[in-house]
Amino acid sequence: MSSIIQLLPDHVANQIAAGEVVQRPASVVKELLENAVDAKATDIKLIIKDAGKSLVQVIDNGLGMSVTDARLCFERHATSKIRQAEDLFSLHTKGFRGEALASIAAIAHVEMKTRPDQEELGTHIVIEGSKFMSQDVAVLPKGTSFAVKNLFFNIPARRNFLKSDIVEQRHIIDEFLRVVMAHPNIHFTLYHNGSEVFNLPQSNIRQRIVNIFGGKTNEKLVPVKETTDIVSIQGFVSKPEFSKKSRGEQFFFVNDRFIKSGYLHHAVMAAYEGLLKDGCQPAYYLYLDVPPHTIDINIHPTKTEIKFDDEHALYAILRSAIKHSLGQFNVAPVLDFERDPNLDTPYDYKNQEASVPLIQVDANFNPFSDDKPSKPSYSTYKKPDTSHWEGLYVGLRQETETLTAPVEIHFEQEEVTASLFDDHEQEQQTVKLFQIHKKYIVNPIKSGMIIVDQQRAHQRILYEKFLTNMTVRQAASQQLLFPLTLYFSRQEIELIAELQESLVNTGFVFESMADDHAVISGLPVNVAESEVSILLEQLLGDLQDGIPDSSFSQNDSIAKSMARSLAVKTGTFLNEKEQENIVNGLFACKDPNVSPFHKPTFITMRVEDLDKKFAL
């Protein structure tokens, strides 16, 4: 029997390894930026074309590589970061597995130029699909330039799985920001299709956060700092009033490495307990420094998940540190047993005695007594003269008789006309709608009753209205007396710019748009000014994974998001007129049976069904 197990060729093994390391252009960006940081660079440039599909290039002024290192770095499991297995538990660098460059070179055209500081000449290497095409000596600046072109050129199936340029660009920016925020002491620049997207000079952590997310971010930040034997924590959290529906600006860094941790996120949410509105998320930028031997980084190919030795202690320390910071900066409510100075006696009256009232009452005075006191016990009150009291009633009897005489009153009568409707129609008009538990609307009909879900029904009504407005492009707008200025991060502004045409078709009027804010001078008719910020945040959260390519799908996504934000919520009391409008509006829709999210809007219960229930 012939052998059926055989060793894979190196180029096939590299392509398989690339499936774990390189999933999209953003994965290449992450690996190359981390290598540049490990090379002790102080200035790093990232150049992108066509959302990384055509070109991903990283240029740094780091240590550079010798001729031997330049050739050896493309081999599998070749790394300068570790020497033995024990080194995995004392890592201070980013890349250490030694598969990134080999995997990238297996699925793209790679061109590397590098020169160490002590050498006069550098090395220029070209690789296409794991094959070395050329290696030359060249005059180069200090550092390394790594260009990855035509990603997945030899794996078309993987290339077909890539999303649109907008989606891939958002993933690249996310990976770029995760590295940039971890190293504020490095100057980073990002170019996309020839235009500068980010230019972040060397700064401290707070300035780096403000430079990325806009100047308005500075007033939202509350500093957090705590040092223990287990962990050292520093960073910032946002004030509760600036919380959002989306979870965009939430960052954990452990030993300058971005990680994802639902357990630590729960600790942050526990610190905000009682301070946030339902469904809102705080922003946080937290940097944790722990001893390297107490964590295990090598549990995930992308190294975004970490296992801690003592998670419970870390949870308690993080929660208490954030809670202390929120209370220290008067963000969280605290018990105050001190007296209120506003209740103190004013200074001018503090030492004065109370004045005696001028009017006094004689307690011994009896109006029915015949004896008159010889000397009254008061001096400020004078008894009225009652000697001629009979004269007060002269003529009163005659006036009373005149007023009580009967007066003839005439009323205007209305002529009763015949009814415009027959008795059956009048009976139908007297049917009332009922609201149950502020959630369902009950509408009696001839065969039984219809039970309508008020939230889903209103979503369907608004969805079809917005979709019609965007299709016909005849939406009405209400002009604001004072334009509304809303502040967003740079990524959110770019997303709004992509959606601007569709939003204008719904009734929004954008007066201007800058890098960190948008000025809105008009709103759709049924949108209140206080709801604009919530509506746009919900829209950005719903479209966080990317904007659909086709205009119809884009309009559909916007209409769904706006309908969900503006629809009446479960628990809202509706008067009889509002209930009637929702029921009538629902059955005037093209598809009243389901909500925009394909859930039933109403059910019908027949009298026969009720009879069966009672027959049991």
Side-chain angles (χ1 to χ4, degrees):
M1 181 177 178
S2 59
S3 299
I4 59 176
I5 298 178
Q6 53 185 323
L7 292 175
L8 291 173
D10 287 342
H11 68 279
V12 177
N14 288 338
Q15 289 183 1
I16 294 174
E20 296 182 356
V21 179
V22 184
Q23 300 174 354
R24 56 185 357 130
S27 305
V28 178
V29 170
K30 175 181 181 295
E31 298 292 345
L32 297 184
L33 287 178
E34 289 181 347
N35 285 340
V37 171
D38 288 339
K40 297 181 174 58
T42 59
D43 191 345
I44 300 175
K45 294 181 176 63
L46 173 61
I47 302 172
I48 302 296
K49 287 186 179 179
D50 299 331
K53 298 174 184 177
S54 299
L55 174 66
V56 175
Q57 184 175 8
V58 173
I59 304 173
D60 67 71
N61 63 346
L63 298 176
M65 289 181 282
S66 64
V67 177
T68 305
D69 290 342
R71 183 65 183 263
L72 195 60
C73 72
F74 290 100
E75 300 296 330
R76 293 189 65 198
H77 308 304
T79 178
S80 62
K81 315 299 171 56
I82 60 175
R83 293 288 183 269
Q84 53 189 356
E86 287 75 11
D87 293 341
L88 291 173
F89 300 99
S90 60
L91 290 172
H92 297 276
T93 58
K94 302 291 189 298
F96 58 86
R97 299 176 65 207
E99 292 186 357
L101 296 183
S103 301
I104 293 171
I107 55 174
H109 296 167
V110 176
E111 182 179 2
M112 185 183 71
K113 299 176 181 179
T114 181
R115 180 180 74 85
D117 190 20
Q118 62 274 13
E119 299 291 337
E120 294 183 358
L121 298 176
T123 306
H124 181 196
I125 294 178
V126 178
I127 301 176
E128 295 180 1
S130 294
K131 296 180 181 180
F132 276 85
M133 306 304 293
S134 65
Q135 178 175 339
D136 302 314
V137 178
V139 178
L140 301 170
K142 174 198 171 184
T144 302
S145 171
F146 209 107
V148 178
K149 305 175 183 178
N150 304 323
L151 193 64
F152 300 126
F153 79 99
N154 53 355
I155 311 178
R158 178 67 65 85
R159 191 177 182 91
N160 292 335
F161 275 102
L162 295 179
K163 305 295 183 181
S164 64
D165 287 357
I166 298 175
V167 178
E168 296 300 337
Q169 181 186 354
R170 285 181 57 82
H171 284 287
I172 288 174
I173 291 178
D174 288 343
E175 292 293 348
F176 175 77
L177 294 183
R178 291 169 182 176
V179 178
V180 163
M181 292 184 62
H183 302 279
N185 58 330
I186 301 177
H187 181 194
F188 286 92
T189 312
L190 171 60
Y191 300 92
H192 183 244
N193 290 338
S195 61
E196 183 180 277
V197 181
F198 285 100
N199 189 351
L200 306 171
Q202 297 180 2
S203 60
N204 55 34
I205 295 175
R206 187 173 195 132
Q207 290 172 340
R208 179 56 57 90
I209 294 172
V210 172
N211 289 337
I212 293 173
F213 298 104
K216 274 288 182 179
T217 309
N218 191 36
E219 65 185 48
K220 307 176 185 178
L221 301 180
V222 175
V224 178
K225 191 169 185 179
E226 186 69 37
T227 302
T228 65
D229 295 336
I230 299 176
V231 61
S232 176
I233 302 173
Q234 65 173 335
F236 300 90
V237 296
S238 67
K239 298 177 182 178
E241 59 265 29
F242 295 104
S243 59
K244 297 182 178 180
K245 294 288 184 180
S246 61
R247 297 179 56 175
E249 300 176 18
Q250 296 180 344
F251 297 89
F252 279 117
F253 299 95
V254 176
N255 295 355
D256 292 336
R257 183 192 303 274
F258 172 80
I259 68 161
K260 298 177 182 178
S261 175
Y263 191 67
L264 295 182
H265 173 75
H266 191 275
V268 176
M269 298 302 294
Y272 276 91
E273 186 177 4
L275 300 176
L276 299 175
K277 299 178 182 178
D278 293 338
C280 290
Q281 296 281 338
Y284 53 80
Y285 321 87
L286 297 172
Y287 298 78
L288 285 66
D289 191 7
V290 299
H293 65 273
T294 62
I295 58 175
D296 185 5
I297 301 172
N298 197 29
I299 63 172
H300 193 274
T302 60
K303 303 183 286 292
T304 56
E305 297 180 9
I306 291 180
K307 182 174 176 57
F308 299 93
D309 283 353
D310 194 351
E311 287 187 334
H312 297 288
L314 194 62
Y315 181 100
I317 294 172
L318 181 61
R319 182 185 60 181
S320 61
I322 296 175
K323 209 161 192 175
H324 173 73
S325 295
L326 293 175
Q328 185 179 6
F329 286 86
N330 296 325
V331 175
V334 294
L335 291 176
D336 187 5
F337 295 101
E338 297 181 359
R339 60 182 176 81
D340 188 354
N342 294 326
L343 301 179
D344 293 344
T345 304
Y347 180 78
D348 293 340
Y349 300 95
K350 188 172 183 180
N351 299 320
Q352 292 184 7
E353 295 183 359
S355 58
V356 180
L358 298 177
I359 299 177
Q360 298 180 359
V361 177
D362 183 8
N364 298 324
F365 173 71
N366 185 358
F368 302 100
S369 175
D370 295 334
D371 300 331
K372 296 182 180 180
S374 58
K375 195 174 185 179
S377 60
Y378 50 85
S379 59
T380 59
Y381 179 77
K382 184 178 180 180
K383 184 179 178 182
D385 184 12
T386 57
S387 57
H388 304 285
W389 62 271
E390 295 89 347
L392 298 175
Y393 298 96
V394 175
L396 180 62
R397 181 180 182 86
Q398 183 178 358
E399 292 179 3
T400 306
E401 291 176 354
T402 305
L403 289 175
T404 55
V407 179
E408 186 178 357
I409 302 175
H410 299 278
F411 294 95
E412 183 178 354
Q413 297 181 353
E414 293 183 357
E415 183 179 355
V416 179
T417 58
S419 175
L420 296 175
F421 306 96
D422 57 17
D423 295 339
H424 175 70
E425 290 175 337
Q426 283 186 338
E427 183 180 345
Q428 290 294 329
Q429 282 189 338
T430 59
V431 174
K432 291 186 177 181
L433 303 177
F434 303 93
Q435 188 182 28
I436 301 178
H437 294 294
K438 299 180 182 178
K439 183 176 183 180
Y440 300 109
I441 301 173
V442 179
N443 180 27
I445 57 175
K446 185 175 181 180
S447 60
M449 62 180 175
I450 294 176
I451 303 177
V452 179
D453 187 309
Q454 65 184 36
Q455 182 173 355
R456 295 179 184 177
H458 200 204
Q459 286 177 353
R460 164 55 63 177
I461 297 169
L462 294 176
Y463 168 72
E464 292 197 3
K465 181 178 180 180
F466 286 131
L467 202 58
T468 302
N469 290 340
M470 285 187 285
T471 304
V472 181
R473 300 185 178 183
Q474 293 181 352
S477 298
Q478 52 181 347
Q479 297 299 313
L480 298 176
L481 183 60
F482 301 102
L484 186 64
T485 303
L486 300 177
Y487 292 87
F488 300 95
S489 64
R490 190 172 302 186
Q491 304 94 294
E492 292 173 337
I493 285 291
E494 292 180 358
L495 193 57
I496 291 176
E498 295 290 336
L499 302 172
Q500 184 173 355
E501 183 179 355
S502 298
L503 291 175
V504 169
N505 292 334
T506 63
F508 282 95
V509 178
F510 291 89
E511 189 171 296
S512 63
M513 195 172 296
D515 291 340
D516 61 344
H517 68 274
V519 180
I520 300 174
S521 58
L523 303 176
V525 175
N526 55 342
V527 177
E529 186 174 345
S530 59
E531 297 174 332
V532 179
S533 178
I534 301 174
L535 188 150
L536 291 180
E537 286 178 8
Q538 181 69 52
L539 176 61
L540 295 174
D542 292 340
L543 298 177
Q544 191 171 8
D545 294 333
I547 304 173
D549 292 332
S550 64
S551 60
F552 175 78
S553 299
Q554 182 174 320
N555 292 341
D556 182 73
S557 300
I558 295 175
K560 285 182 179 178
S561 178
M562 293 180 64
R564 175 162 49 188
S565 300
L566 298 175
V568 293
K569 303 298 186 289
T570 297
T572 303
F573 172 77
L574 302 177
N575 58 37
E576 188 175 346
K577 187 65 176 178
E578 292 170 337
Q579 298 173 28
E580 184 180 348
N581 290 338
I582 286 183
V583 173
N584 293 338
L586 174 64
F587 292 103
C589 294
K590 296 179 180 178
D591 188 6
N593 298 314
V594 294
S595 71
F597 308 99
H598 307 289
K599 295 182 179 179
T601 57
F602 69 92
I603 60 172
T604 303
M605 294 191 68
R606 300 178 301 170
V607 177
E608 293 81 356
D609 298 332
L610 296 175
D611 292 340
K612 291 179 182 178
K613 296 286 185 181
F614 286 101
L616 297 176

